[in-house]
Amino acid sequence: MHASLGAIRDETTRPTDSIVHARLLVVDGVVQGVGFRPFVYRNATALKLSGFVRNEGARVVVAVAGELESLDRLQHALLRDVPPRSRVDQLVTRTIAVDEIPGPGFAIVDSVA
C-alpha cells in the first residue's frame, strides 16, 4: 500500500520514539464528503505519526505508525472529536507490521473503490 503520486504528504512528520507501533483503523459511519480525511491528516501530523488515510468504499481506512501514546490519542480523536457533519458508527482497530506503513510523513491518498 503506497501513496500515489497525487497524494498530499507532510514529510516533516516522523515517529520520534525508538519503539514504533503501527495500526490499521477502519472507520464506518458518515465519513464521506464531510472533511473526515483532512481531519485525520491534521490530527496525525500534529501527533507526528506516519502513514496514510484514504476512502475505501463507504468507509475511511487509516494506516498509521508512531509512538503508542500518539496512536491512542488519534484513536480517541476519531471517536470523540470528529468534524460536525460526520458520525463514527464503528471503529475497528488491528495491529499491523510497521513496514506496512509507506515512508515517513502522513498522506491523504487516492480512494479505492
Side-chain angles (χ1 to χ4, degrees), residues 24-95:
L24 185 69
L25 311 171
V26 180
V27 186
D28 288 300
V30 179
V31 292
Q32 303 286 329
V34 293
F36 201 82
R37 289 180 303 155
F39 161 78
V40 172
Y41 175 85
R42 284 189 304 276
N43 278 274
T45 56
L47 293 166
K48 302 195 181 320
L49 296 170
S50 294
F52 65 87
V53 59
R54 72 172 174 222
N55 289 333
E56 202 169 283
R59 58 181 45 151
V60 167
V61 174
V62 183
V64 65
E67 295 178 14
L68 194 55
E69 180 182 338
S70 295
L71 293 173
D72 290 343
R73 289 178 66 193
L74 178 64
Q75 254 184 259
H76 180 80
L78 295 181
L79 291 170
R80 302 280 191 279
D81 303 323
V82 296
R85 297 179 315 178
S86 65
R87 183 185 75 243
V88 173
D89 293 333
Q90 180 175 336
L91 173 64
V92 176
T93 304
R94 94 176 145 90
T95 301

